[in-house]
Amino acid sequence: MSTIFSKIINGEIPSYKIAEDDRFFAFLDINPLAKGHTLVIPKVEVDYIFDLDDETTKGLFVFCKKVAKGIKSVVECKKIGITVLGLEVAHAHVHLVPINGIYDIDFSKPKLKLDKEEFIELAREISSNIKL
Ligand code: 5GP
């Protein structure tokens, strides 16, 4: 069975893509906590992040680092927070969220409503600031 995130990787479902290499894919969260909230996923379809093999685990973190630097260079914030929940989609994913304080990464908060143009522009700016 293919997860919604595998469908995004394959282009069957559209996304606001941030970065991609042979093993990983990053795209804007459709219900963001903050502008620039990004999901980073391994292409391999594994539900629980701690079931990933060691090489994928290491690579995922390095890929996250590169993506986070790109987000930070575009979105004004103190830091890029990193969280793993995985309660909704059964395909391992890391949330990268621009934060100025702990309240900015509270997942129980109402999400932002961005229009399509804002998503497109954010994705364009961030992706052009990522060096893989
Ligand atoms: P979690 O599994 O970590 O609890 O949450 C899954 C995250 O994926 C949520 O933040 C949700 O907004 C995001 N999400 C779910 N479906 C889609 C989708 O089709 N496209 C995008 N870009 N994000 C999604």
Side-chain angles (χ1 to χ4, degrees):
M1 209 189 72
S2 193
T3 65
I4 193 165
F5 287 172
S6 289
K7 291 188 171 127
I8 284 175
I9 293 166
N10 297 335
E12 291 168 60
I13 293 178
S15 71
Y16 301 104
K17 183 166 124 179
I18 296 294
E20 177 179 16
D21 70 6
D22 55 328
R23 289 189 298 162
F24 306 105
F25 193 95
F27 56 107
L28 293 177
D29 193 306
I30 204 72
N31 294 303
L33 276 173
K35 278 190 181 181
H37 180 170
T38 296
L39 299 175
V40 181
I41 59 180
K43 290 188 172 177
V44 59
E45 203 178 81
V46 168
D47 174 4
Y48 185 42
I49 199 159
F50 295 126
D51 285 335
L52 291 170
D53 65 71
D54 290 355
E55 279 314 304
T56 308
T57 303
K58 287 184 229 172
L60 179 62
F61 205 80
V62 173
F63 193 84
C64 283
K65 176 174 109 170
K66 293 171 180 170
V67 172
K69 283 179 189 286
I71 301 169
K72 181 83 168 56
S73 71
V74 170
V75 179
E76 229 180 273
C77 59
K78 266 195 187 153
K79 291 194 171 171
I80 303 301
I82 178 165
T83 300
V84 176
L85 300 171
L87 297 171
E88 196 186 306
V89 180
H91 186 138
H93 53 282
V94 174
H95 293 262
L96 297 177
V97 185
I99 55 170
N100 291 300
I102 195 165
Y103 40 83
D104 290 327
I105 202 156
D106 173 0
F107 279 80
S108 64
K109 269 195 339 186
K111 305 301 184 292
L112 285 186
K113 291 270 174 272
L114 301 182
D115 61 39
K116 195 177 169 188
E117 298 314 313
E118 286 179 288
F119 275 118
I120 290 171
E121 185 54 22
L122 264 171
R124 194 195 59 73
E125 277 190 71
I126 295 169
S127 61
S128 66
N129 278 280
I130 291 176
K131 294 177 197 73
L132 292 182

